[in-house]
Structures are given as structure tokens and as C-alpha cells.
Amino acid sequence: MRPTLRLRLTLVYGALFFLAGLVLLGVTYLLFNQQLAQTFDERYGAPTEPGRHRQIFIAKEDVTLTGDAAIDWLWREQQGLRDAAVTSLLTQGTVALVLVGGGAVGLGWVVAGRVLAPLHLVTATARKIAAAPMAERGLHERIALSGPADEVKDLADTFDTMVERLDHSFDGQRRFVANASHELRTPLTLNRALVELAMHRRTASDDVKDLGESLLEINARHERLIGGLLLLARSEQEVADRSPVDLADVVTHVTAQSAEPAADAKVTVYEAVAPAPTTGDALLLERLVHNLVENGIRYNLDDGTGWVRVVSRTVSGGKVEVEVSNTGPLVPPYDVPLLFKPFHRQAGERAVTGTSAGLGLSIVRSVATAHGGDVRARPREGGGLVVAVSLPRGGLADRLW
């Protein structure tokens, strides 16, 4: 575990404080020692070393010392007093340095935490944006740091400006896709009307009718593509108007609608429904389940033994879940994340006519994210795919309807 910046700053503060304290204690020792010697000399005179002759008189306890005896006694007194004073200074100074240094380290820890608090806010906001299921989903987050105009506030304001520009860019991209899709629907509708009019004329030949069928098929594929783009742009916005929805009802409805396409593809659809109440946009949730079942039918075996299983249930953690599994070609684990990218098709698609626009799972992910849920996918043992969509469970008030 690497040390944090707060710990490193605290250690630096503590080391500098102890170093300054040691220097101060050393300087105090030198000055004290010098002052003690000067004071002693001024009071008693500078004594000579023991053994050197000097005439001096000292009265001590009714005893008068002269000569070398007086010098010896004065020398011992001076050394004893100096040693006691120096020992007291060093001992008490060291204890005071340790106590005050410990307090300084604790105070440095608190101060470092307060100084680094804005950086923690920047980091938390960046992580929240990075943890969003879709990159553009978290771009509405802002730091909005208040405080003095220092370097940290400049960093936070610059970060907010960058995120705001990215948010505007993604919004513009979504609006462009929606507007372009709307504009493209009009000529496609007109083309379909003209082709149908030409095909149903009494003078229309068989070649014209065959050509009209081909043109209508191409036109229908383009309409599905544009419809998918519109739905994708819509589903990437958070759902604000929510209503109670039971995913079990959605699964039953979608599997009934998928009976004919499944029969044409020689695929059997099974359902295992249990109450799974949630809240959201019913049409979007229906499209989510429909895309999962449609993909399960399309990417399947063509020998009549294929199947698709759809399950709705309530799971732990206040979640409800829809799981769709199917037989089919083997899917490499590294290819699973690519399936959720727009316009990506599985390599083993049976429909060579291009009935898929490659937006099915992209729409599933966008709808799930807009409802506060998530999508998980994994290859099924033996071939095929297992896709599970988890959504927040509806509250008690939402279920009593």
C-alpha cells in the first residue's frame, strides 16, 4: 500500500519540525553553557586547574579553605553545577520536543487533510463520471468548488469547464442524430408510397412488382435503422416520467408477439415468469425485452433444435431482473463487450438479407441505463448467449396499482 499524499505531507511537516527543534535545542545548549561559565567566572573568578598554585580563600561550614584545596573544591562545584544544569536542560528539552513534536505531527495531519479536501472532491467527481455506465451519462456532474481563488480552485474550475464542454458536445451529438433521423423518415415514407403506387397499378408488369418488393424490403430496412437511431437517442435520456410496470407482463406480451418469427426460424421460445415490479417507461421496457428475444431468435441454430428462454424474477439487493438465454453459435468471451456497440453484428448471423441494423443490444443497454439499471452478458456453455438486465425494484406504493 503506497503512502498517501496526506501522510507524506504529515511526515515532511514532522521531520522538519523535529529537525528545527533539535537545532534549537543545540543552540540553546551552547548559549546556556556559555552563559553559565560566564556567570560563574563573574561571581567566583576564573579558577585554575587543580594542582596549580593560586592563593584563594573560601569559607565553608566554618572551615576556611586556601590554596590548592580551595581551587579543587571550586573546580568540583563548577563542574557539578554545569553537569546538573546541562542534564536538566537536555532531559527536559528532549521531553518537551517529543511532546510538542507529537502535537505538531497531529496538527499537521489535520491541516494536510483540510488543505487536500478540495483535491478529494475533484477526485470523487472524476471517479463518479468515470464510473457512469455510459461516458456521457455522468457529464452533468460538477465540482462547483467554493473558497479562495487559489491553485486548487483554478484546477476545479478548469475541470468543470472541460466537463461542461464535453456535456454540450454529447448533447449536440444526440440532437443531431435525432434531428437527422426525423428528417430522413420523410423521404423514406414518400419512397414507400411511390413504390407501392407503382406496384399496384393495373399496368404494372411482374418485373416491376418484383423490383417493387425488393425496394420495399430495402426501404423497410432503412426505416428500422432510422427507428433504432431515434429510439437510441431517446433512450439515452434519463426517464423522468415513470409509471409502475411488471416485467412479468412485459415478458408474456413479448413472447406472444414473437411466436410467429420463432416458428419461422424453427426456434422454440420458453418463458418462466415471476412478479418483477419496477417503474419506468412501459414502451421502452417492452422494446428492451423485445430486442433481447429478437436477438435470441436471430442468432440461433437453424436445425430445428434451437430455443430461447426468457425469465423474469425478483433478485436480492432491491432489484428485478429479466434474463434471456439461447442456443446458438459459440461466442468468444472477448467478443461479448463488442456486442453492445452500435452497428456491431455477431459473426454467425443467419439472416444474410441484413434484417438487423446492429442496434439491438445498444438500445437494450441505453434503456437499462436510463432506468437506473445495468446489463450483463456472458457466453453460454455449449453455444449461445445469456443476457441479464437488472432494474431497480418498484416501491410498495408502486406495486399497489
Side-chain angles (χ1 to χ4, degrees):
M1 180 178 178
R2 62 179 183 179
T4 62
L5 179 59
R6 183 180 185 183
L7 178 59
R8 294 201 300 270
L9 287 176
T10 303
L11 293 177
V12 170
Y13 295 156
L16 290 177
F17 181 87
F18 278 108
L19 180 60
L22 290 175
V23 172
L24 178 62
L25 187 61
V27 172
T28 304
Y29 165 74
L30 294 177
L31 294 177
F32 177 79
N33 195 23
Q34 180 181 1
Q35 183 65 31
L36 182 64
Q38 181 179 354
T39 302
F40 200 97
D41 291 344
E42 291 176 353
R43 183 170 182 178
Y44 297 103
T48 60
E49 295 181 2
R52 295 186 63 182
H53 178 73
R54 181 179 177 184
Q55 191 70 19
I56 187 170
F57 299 90
I58 296 178
K60 178 178 179 295
E61 297 179 357
D62 300 330
V63 177
T64 301
L65 300 178
T66 60
D68 290 340
I71 294 175
D72 291 341
W73 179 87
L74 187 59
W75 181 268
R76 289 193 301 271
E77 287 293 318
Q78 181 180 2
Q79 293 299 323
L81 180 60
R82 178 177 299 175
D83 293 341
V86 170
T87 301
S88 177
L89 172 65
L90 294 179
T91 302
Q92 296 179 6
T94 302
V95 172
L97 178 61
V98 171
L99 294 178
V100 177
V105 170
L107 182 61
W109 176 265
V110 175
V111 172
R114 293 182 63 87
V115 171
L116 295 176
L119 291 181
H120 292 319
L121 182 59
V122 174
T123 304
T125 305
R127 285 178 177 170
K128 189 181 297 184
I129 294 175
M134 300 178 65
E136 64 272 21
R137 186 68 63 183
L139 292 179
H140 64 280
E141 299 288 343
R142 298 291 184 273
I143 300 174
L145 184 64
S146 59
D150 52 13
E151 291 82 354
V152 177
K153 191 173 189 308
D154 289 341
L155 173 63
D157 292 342
T158 303
F159 184 86
D160 284 342
T161 302
M162 179 190 68
V163 173
E164 185 176 2
R165 290 184 178 179
L166 287 175
D167 194 14
H168 290 331
S169 176
F170 279 109
D171 282 340
Q173 185 180 26
R174 284 192 292 267
R175 285 195 299 269
F176 170 78
V177 171
N179 294 336
S181 300
H182 277 296
E183 292 296 328
L184 289 174
R185 272 186 165 182
T186 301
L188 288 177
T189 303
L190 180 60
N191 288 343
R192 185 177 67 250
L194 292 176
V195 171
E196 290 177 347
L197 179 62
M199 289 175 58
H200 292 88
R201 287 188 306 177
R202 294 181 179 180
T203 58
S205 63
D206 293 337
D207 293 339
V208 172
K209 292 180 180 181
D210 292 340
L211 177 61
E213 291 292 343
S214 300
L215 292 177
L216 286 178
E217 184 178 349
I218 295 174
N219 200 84
R221 182 177 182 276
H222 290 165
E223 288 179 344
R224 286 194 297 271
L225 173 60
I226 293 173
L229 289 173
L230 278 173
L231 183 60
L232 186 61
R234 175 191 171 194
S235 62
E236 287 183 347
Q237 303 295 330
E238 185 176 357
V239 177
D241 188 12
R242 295 172 176 262
S243 59
V245 180
D246 193 337
L247 294 180
D249 297 335
V250 177
V251 168
T252 301
H253 177 68
V254 170
T255 52
Q257 286 185 329
S258 304
E260 184 176 348
D264 294 339
K266 299 179 182 179
V267 173
T268 305
V269 178
Y270 303 97
E271 66 175 62
V273 295
T278 185
T279 58
D281 189 311
L283 292 178
L284 288 177
L285 292 175
E286 179 184 343
R287 184 59 183 267
L288 179 149
V289 178
H290 180 271
N291 282 7
L292 291 176
V293 175
E294 184 182 46
N295 275 14
I297 295 173
R298 178 178 294 118
Y299 303 104
N300 217 306
L301 302 176
D302 55 0
D303 56 3
T305 62
W307 53 263
V308 176
R309 188 168 184 265
V310 190
V311 179
S312 67
R313 58 196 172 206
T314 300
V315 295
S316 60
K319 299 282 187 178
V320 295
E321 188 175 80
V322 172
E323 182 182 271
V324 178
S325 55
N326 70 311
T327 54
L330 292 172
V331 180
Y334 57 81
D335 198 33
V336 171
L338 299 177
L339 299 178
F340 291 92
K341 293 185 177 296
F343 306 110
H344 180 85
R345 295 190 182 92
Q346 191 173 336
E349 183 178 357
R350 294 190 308 142
V352 295
T353 56
T355 58
S356 171
L359 294 173
L361 291 181
S362 298
I363 293 174
V364 168
R365 184 185 63 175
S366 297
V367 173
T369 304
H371 285 79
D374 56 55
V375 183
R376 305 181 307 278
R378 58 179 174 84
R380 178 182 165 274
E381 185 177 356
L385 200 67
V386 179
V387 183
V389 178
S390 298
L391 298 173
R393 184 177 181 179
L396 179 62
D398 296 329
R399 296 197 296 274
L400 298 178
W401 48 277

